Amino acid sequence: MPRFLNTVVINGSLHRPSRTRVLLDEVTQRIAYDVALQTQFIDLVDLVPSIGTALSKEDLNPAAQQALQRIEQADFLIVGAPVFRGSVPGLFKHLFDLIDMDALTAKPVLLAATGGSARHGLVIDHQLRTLFGFFHALSLPAGVYATSGEIQDGKIASEALTARIELVASLSAPVLHGTLNQQRQHIAERAVA
């Protein structure tokens, strides 16, 4: 019986260190208080040399191919991207252009983003939700957006952001427990058959 959700956290930032990674780390840790996660991280900055020149999966180097495979095989995705000039980085979108069209169907996805100001906060609903809607993924009901002022020196520096992370985690937990229970039921049914 599965005891953990195979979770892949995707950091769409092209920089290291990354405020987006700080946010994703905090969200992942908070969700892990309520739901058992087996977590793997994928940082887009590590894949840039291969992703940037790839027109298909076959063009990717082995590390990038493995990253795509981990995304496609995950039970749960936590996805975050920085916002530049009202949009996510093109290479972040291109990473998902290479994902199999049916691989994310019904997969729960928690969406996160970071940006310089509150002006970009709607990127979660206007871009990320539509991207994962295309894949028929199950975007969780609330995402979390953080401004550069809310993450300082590699740490969450805002009580309001901490409260939003708590809210996102509490809203996500029932869906994730349901996903884990569904997996257990499928395994039990296969064992009986």
Side-chain angles (χ1 to χ4, degrees):
M1 293 288 187
R3 297 180 305 157
F4 301 94
L5 277 181
N6 174 19
T7 304
V8 174
V9 182
I10 304 162
N11 174 13
S13 177
L14 300 173
H15 301 284
R16 187 178 282 125
S18 157
R19 283 191 302 269
T20 305
R21 178 64 188 256
V22 171
L23 177 62
L24 292 170
D25 286 344
E26 192 68 29
V27 168
T28 303
Q29 288 174 19
R30 180 53 193 88
I31 291 173
Y33 291 148
D34 298 324
V35 181
L37 305 179
Q38 184 175 29
T39 309
Q40 304 170 66
F41 285 84
I42 295 173
D43 291 292
L44 182 61
V45 68
D46 297 328
L47 305 177
V48 167
S50 185
I51 295 286
T53 59
L55 298 178
S56 70
K57 283 183 186 182
E58 293 75 29
D59 297 332
L60 296 172
N61 67 23
Q65 286 182 3
Q66 185 179 49
L68 258 61
Q69 187 176 40
R70 289 189 320 206
I71 293 168
E72 292 175 350
Q73 293 175 351
D75 300 320
F76 170 43
L77 297 175
I78 300 173
V79 179
V83 183
F84 300 110
R85 300 184 183 191
S87 185
V88 297
L91 284 176
F92 170 82
K93 168 61 169 69
H94 188 55
L95 173 69
F96 286 94
D97 290 340
L98 299 171
I99 296 288
D100 183 89
M101 289 203 19
D102 298 319
L104 307 183
T105 300
K107 191 170 295 194
V109 180
L110 189 142
L111 303 173
T114 58
S117 73
R119 289 172 31 168
H120 299 300
L122 289 175
V123 72
I124 290 174
D125 290 321
H126 288 243
Q127 291 184 18
L128 295 176
R129 267 190 218 291
T130 56
L131 173 62
F132 289 96
F134 168 82
F135 285 106
H136 301 289
L138 177 63
S139 293
L140 294 177
V144 61
Y145 176 80
T147 65
S148 57
E150 293 178 307
I151 300 173
Q152 297 289 322
D153 300 319
K155 296 180 182 151
I156 303 298
S158 161
E159 288 182 23
L161 177 56
T162 298
R164 291 195 308 274
I165 292 169
E166 290 287 332
L167 176 63
V168 164
S170 67
L171 291 173
S172 302
V175 175
L176 299 177
H177 283 295
T179 300
L180 198 50
N181 290 336
Q182 239 179 355
Q183 289 179 346
R184 289 177 181 146
Q185 184 177 1
H186 286 288
I187 290 171
E189 288 171 358
R190 280 186 277 187
V192 172

